[in-house]
Amino acid sequence: MGSFMTEAIDLFIDGPAGKLSVRTKGLDAKAKHVVILVQGANLSGQLGYDFAFDGRQDYSFMEALVARGYGAVTFSIRGYRDSELADHPHSVKTDEAIADTAAVIDWVIAQGFARPHLLGWSWGGRIVGRYAETRSDRIGRLVLLDPAIGGGNKVPFPEKDDWWSNAAAYFRDRLELEFMEAAAHEQLAVQAERDEPRSPNGIRVENEEGSVAADAGLINAPTLMLYGVAAGMQNYMQGGSGRADFFERLGTQDKALVVVPGGGDYGHLQNARHRMWKTIADFLDG
């Protein structure tokens, strides 16, 4: 891509518990379909899917989707980035995130885009998977990007802090530098601390209490499961069973399981990103 970036339209919509911050790109009559991108546990959709720095828009997944003819929509779950939170930060768990996701899906459909595609990364994979258990008829295709399926081992959270600090130092340590350009590695850490310095800790409380795994057998939408090679090995990511087992149980015959080299838990922001984006867009094309 060149230096031009598609105009991002930032707006607020009514969610079930306050205003939700939404970003759209390419959402016009020319879009062949719309893809809704659901965030993980730390970063908002805006940063996780529309990351750019110093003229480097080749890190924005939203840009890549627009280049393939899709409209792209992402948002921040309640309490993340600019979305409102009226309750305690520990209240922001998967059920609440599903309700927020449903509101965004309904909004996109109301804009005239029937059955949008749905993608969730990490915790977002659990969110969209559980949404699809009962509402596959509302969406087109489903992408589980390094999904934290849920279930599995409980993950201790002894600190019980209300908020998670998105300090740059955390991301410098968390992001696998061996899979990522140094400049991008640093910029993502800096932007996280600058633009969304804290995130609700509800998901960590949930993981300690014991999360509800997505039920593969109830997911009827065509589904792609996509992983960076170094990602998704933890028990809590797999829901207590191997990802191939989950894949086999999916309630659709239109499905694919792909592992991509050169990426980890943040593969779509790392060296593996172009291959991941192409794999996803090819699957969405049907």
Side-chain angles (χ1 to χ4, degrees), residues 4-258:
F4 175 74
M5 284 192 76
T6 310
E7 180 185 7
I9 298 176
D10 290 316
L11 64 149
F12 288 92
I13 69 168
D14 291 328
K19 297 291 186 182
L20 295 174
S21 173
V22 174
R23 174 170 295 177
T24 76
K25 284 192 169 188
L27 206 65
D28 56 36
K30 297 189 295 294
K32 59 186 176 184
H33 220 83
V34 171
V35 187
I36 299 172
L37 308 162
V38 181
Q39 68 174 70
N42 286 92
L43 300 179
S44 72
Q46 285 88 336
L47 183 53
Y49 297 113
D50 200 26
F51 172 56
F53 63 98
D54 297 336
R56 293 292 303 279
Q57 64 278 0
D58 62 312
Y59 276 87
S60 168
F61 186 22
M62 294 184 82
E63 285 291 312
L65 287 169
V66 172
R68 284 287 295 255
Y70 289 96
V73 176
T74 195
F75 66 102
S76 300
I77 291 165
R78 67 186 72 177
Y80 286 83
R81 200 174 178 108
D82 299 321
S83 290
E84 292 180 345
L85 176 63
D87 206 343
H88 192 280
H90 285 181
S91 70
V92 186
K93 299 178 181 177
T94 300
D95 285 343
E96 288 71 27
I98 292 169
D100 290 351
T101 300
V104 174
I105 292 170
D106 292 346
W107 179 83
V108 168
I109 293 173
Q111 307 313 301
F113 298 98
R115 299 193 69 180
H117 300 315
L118 189 58
L119 178 148
W121 162 47
S122 190
W123 178 38
R126 184 185 314 169
I127 296 164
V128 302
R130 287 190 47 207
Y131 175 92
E133 289 175 359
T134 57
R135 286 168 277 190
S136 286
D137 61 314
R138 298 284 286 170
I139 61 174
R141 290 178 166 255
L142 180 69
V143 179
L144 306 178
L145 178 58
D146 184 25
I149 295 298
N153 290 338
K154 297 179 180 180
V155 183
F157 178 52
E159 303 88 352
K160 297 295 188 296
D161 294 337
D162 292 350
W163 299 91
W164 182 268
S165 173
N166 285 332
Y170 168 78
F171 286 99
R172 289 188 186 108
D173 180 63
R174 180 72 176 80
L175 292 161
E176 303 104 330
L177 184 55
E178 66 268 29
F179 295 135
M180 197 169 186
E181 287 182 277
H185 184 271
E186 176 63 14
Q187 274 296 311
L188 190 62
V190 167
Q191 290 186 32
E193 181 175 271
R194 181 192 71 198
D195 298 335
E196 37 201 78
R198 67 180 192 176
S199 299
N201 262 331
I203 182 56
R204 291 177 176 84
V205 174
E206 176 179 314
N207 285 338
E208 181 176 63
E209 293 171 346
S211 59
V212 176
D215 187 335
L218 297 178
I219 298 173
N220 299 315
T223 302
L224 167 66
M225 295 176 64
L226 179 64
Y227 296 83
V229 67
M233 303 308 292
Q234 302 93 334
N235 184 274
Y236 78 92
M237 295 288 284
Q238 299 185 33
S241 64
R243 54 197 179 194
D245 297 331
F246 185 89
F247 173 77
E248 292 296 340
R249 292 199 307 271
L250 284 167
T252 175
Q253 294 182 349
D254 188 348
K255 57 186 177 180
L257 172 60
V258 180

